[in-house]
Amino acid sequence: MKDPTSPATSNASSVAWPPIAVPGQGLPRDRERTEQQHDSAGATADASTAVPNRNMLDTQSAEASTPALVPDSADDAAPDAPEATGGGSTAGAGTALLDDLRTAIGRYVVLPSDEALTAVTLWVAASHIQPALQHAPRLAVVGPTKGCGKSRLLDVLYETVHQPMMTVNTSPAVVFRVIGKNPPTLLVDEADTIFGPKAGDKEDLRGLLNAGHQRNRPAWRISGPEHKPTAFPTFAMAALAGIGDLPDTIMDRAIVIRMQKRKPGERITPFRSRYSVPELHALRDRLADWLVPQRGTVAGAVPTMPVEDRAADTWEPLVIVADLAGGHWPALARAACLAMTRNEVVQDEQTTLKTRLLRDIRRVFAQEGSKEALRSQDLLAVLVQDAEAPWAEYGTKGLNAYHLANLLRDFGISPANYRFENGRQAKAYARNQFVDAWARYCPDPAPSAPTAEVPARLTSGRPPAPPSGTLPTGPPGGPIGPGPTR
């Protein structure tokens, strides 16, 4: 059925719905009014525009198998009741709905792991309760090259999340004005154009995405004909896709999906609007039927988290949805949370380690007189002998040629056959391969600008003290010669 909360609509009446996409009773024609009725206390249903008994659904409780949800007040602690899902479904329908959504996403996109598929499924579902959340987790969809499925994943998200807004090249002023009490879900493709060297005048959008992770972090701007300071809300969930890692401030607030190119044996269902969009819209409608009435409940939910600090803030909305669904989803969500946060810790350590390796290799080249190339074995020998470096304990037997090549691969650096002065040929690393990486990842400190010499002022009643160096000085009371060189 037509969904006014999504920019993308389809003529579902002319297309046969796939078996997995039966939407039950669907949504009322006026979704926005229905959501307002659920969110306001004591609201009554309008029988002319709503599905019968739609607003009679219990919005105060989830399944009895949701031990991690803690009500915000005694009013929220209601007896067990059936889940609020479309078509009068019974307890356990949330589990089946998330299973259907997980299957549909996996049909169109090859994600790097089962945990990543679980995370994306829960992130989509969490977008439908974001007006009740305290944190809006980002979904960082990154890959080493183009053709890894990043844009296809955004296509699937666009048809399933709450009120999607694609921001490929959107003005920051537009984004500021569309985020309100019921924020959209931002989908940013080609995010490297925002955060990379081509960012240009997109600093406002960068700041918005950073601030919008947490509620009550408005952006202040001068607005209107009277030029009054105006607070624009920034809180909104966002998925960002781009080549390479995003800035640390974004990655630290995101569930990171590291996409890879499909292998020859990995097949997916082609994404065709005529068939795919109605199926995904049906799942989106079922999610809204189930989760929109739950917003009052989740506002006070405090689930037990397997992680702490910002990682807990980021993953909490996903765990809340999993606990609402019950069944195997609470365990799946927490396992995915642990696995993916640990993977990012390893990624951070590897990034730091690679930067350390670049610095150490630069030092070795400097010690060797900045030769054009160094044999791989000679370079390894010097690195491993450094007692303060981690290379002697890297791996099981210390850093070897394979490890070295693997660590440098991301920088576009690899060994090659090189003929030295004595005529012998060996695998070696050329110095000019490192110049670009050194400049980007571990630049030399900028040399201090030379300062003009200024004659010292005489202290009243005292002659100036002579310099400690051996350079000649003028007579007492006269001009002082240059200070000692350093």
Side-chain angles (χ1 to χ4, degrees):
M1 301 182 71
K2 184 178 181 181
D3 181 5
T5 66
S6 172
T9 58
S10 61
N11 186 12
S13 60
S14 63
V15 180
W17 295 81
I20 191 175
V22 176
Q25 298 296 325
L27 285 176
R29 292 185 179 87
D30 190 351
R31 181 199 292 256
E32 293 182 358
R33 176 163 57 185
T34 303
E35 293 180 356
Q36 294 171 358
Q37 290 170 346
H38 284 301
D39 292 339
S40 60
T44 58
D46 185 351
S48 65
T49 59
V51 175
N53 297 326
R54 169 70 182 274
N55 292 318
M56 300 300 292
L57 296 174
D58 189 346
T59 64
Q60 294 181 331
S61 64
E63 291 184 272
S65 61
T66 310
L69 293 178
V70 179
D72 190 33
S73 63
D75 295 335
D76 291 329
D80 294 342
E83 288 184 354
T85 56
S89 58
T90 59
T95 303
L97 175 54
L98 290 184
D99 288 345
D100 291 346
L101 178 61
R102 191 178 192 273
T103 300
I105 295 172
R107 184 182 304 130
Y108 296 111
V109 186
V110 175
L111 288 161
S113 65
D114 289 339
E115 291 81 7
L117 180 56
T118 296
V120 171
T121 302
L122 292 171
W123 190 89
V124 169
S127 71
H128 292 271
I129 58 170
Q130 61 177 316
L133 299 174
Q134 290 301 312
H135 292 87
R138 279 74 184 94
L139 192 71
V141 185
V142 298
T145 63
K146 62 182 181 180
C148 294
K150 300 181 294 297
S151 296
R152 174 62 70 233
L153 179 56
L154 287 192
D155 290 338
V156 175
L157 296 180
Y158 187 86
E159 309 301 341
T160 51
V161 298
H162 165 74
Q163 197 171 329
M165 177 183 175
M166 189 71 75
T167 59
V168 176
N169 194 23
T170 301
S171 163
V174 173
V175 181
F176 276 125
R177 285 164 175 79
V178 299
I179 296 178
K181 183 179 179 181
N182 186 18
T185 305
L186 304 177
L187 305 175
V188 184
D189 203 358
E190 301 179 6
D192 45 307
T193 63
I194 298 176
F195 303 111
K198 298 181 288 183
D201 58 351
K202 297 297 180 67
E203 289 297 326
D204 284 348
L205 188 55
R206 182 204 300 246
L208 183 152
L209 293 170
N210 280 333
H213 178 259
Q214 187 171 349
R215 192 174 289 280
N216 299 325
R217 296 292 186 271
W220 287 87
R221 294 291 184 273
I222 299 297
S223 180
E226 299 180 359
H227 302 286
K228 290 184 177 180
T230 305
F232 291 93
T234 61
F235 182 82
M237 291 177 64
L240 303 97
I243 296 175
D245 280 6
L246 303 175
D248 290 342
T249 53
I250 295 292
M251 300 289 276
D252 198 34
R253 294 168 170 83
I255 295 155
V256 182
I257 309 298
R258 297 188 176 275
M259 302 292 288
Q260 298 290 336
K261 278 196 171 185
R262 286 189 290 126
K263 293 185 293 187
E266 293 176 329
R267 298 187 178 277
I268 59 173
T269 300
F271 187 89
R272 298 290 182 267
S273 297
R274 184 179 178 185
Y275 304 106
S276 305
V277 170
E279 172 194 358
L280 296 175
H281 279 190
L283 289 169
R284 178 199 61 195
D285 293 349
R286 291 170 62 193
L287 286 170
D289 284 343
W290 170 45
L291 290 169
V292 169
Q294 305 279 7
R295 290 176 180 175
T297 300
V298 303
V302 185
T304 302
M305 298 297 299
V307 292
E308 297 178 345
D309 301 326
R310 183 164 286 166
D313 294 338
T314 299
W315 278 86
E316 184 180 76
L318 281 67
V319 174
I320 287 175
V321 171
D323 286 346
L324 283 174
H328 52 266
W329 278 97
L332 281 178
R334 288 169 172 84
C337 174
L338 275 175
M340 295 183 69
T341 51
R342 287 172 179 170
N343 182 65
E344 288 309 302
V345 169
V346 172
Q347 289 288 336
D348 290 342
E349 290 176 351
Q350 286 291 327
T351 300
T352 304
L353 198 64
K354 291 173 184 178
T355 305
R356 169 67 185 268
L357 179 60
L358 287 175
R359 290 197 302 266
D360 287 353
I361 291 176
R362 181 173 58 188
R363 175 179 52 81
V364 175
F365 269 101
Q367 291 175 353
E368 298 294 328
S370 297
K371 293 180 178 180
E372 290 184 2
L374 290 176
R375 293 175 64 242
S376 299
Q377 295 303 320
D378 294 340
L379 179 59
L380 283 168
V382 178
L383 291 172
V384 172
Q385 288 173 3
D386 188 351
E388 297 181 358
W391 312 121
E393 299 176 356
Y394 188 88
T396 56
K397 297 182 180 179
L399 189 70
N400 58 32
Y402 173 79
H403 296 149
L404 182 61
N406 192 45
L407 290 171
L408 295 174
R409 184 176 294 114
D410 288 344
F411 303 113
I413 300 171
S414 59
N417 292 326
Y418 187 86
R419 189 174 298 278
F420 291 89
E421 294 178 355
N422 57 7
R424 298 184 61 182
Q425 184 173 318
K427 288 287 186 181
Y429 285 90
R431 186 182 184 280
N432 60 9
Q433 281 192 300
F434 293 89
V435 173
D436 182 72
W438 287 338
R440 293 179 183 275
Y441 298 98
C442 51
D444 287 321
S448 57
T451 57
E453 296 180 1
V454 180
R457 293 183 179 180
L458 295 177
T459 305
S460 176
R462 292 185 180 181
S468 57
T470 59
L471 294 175
T473 60
I480 300 176
T485 56
R486 295 184 179 178

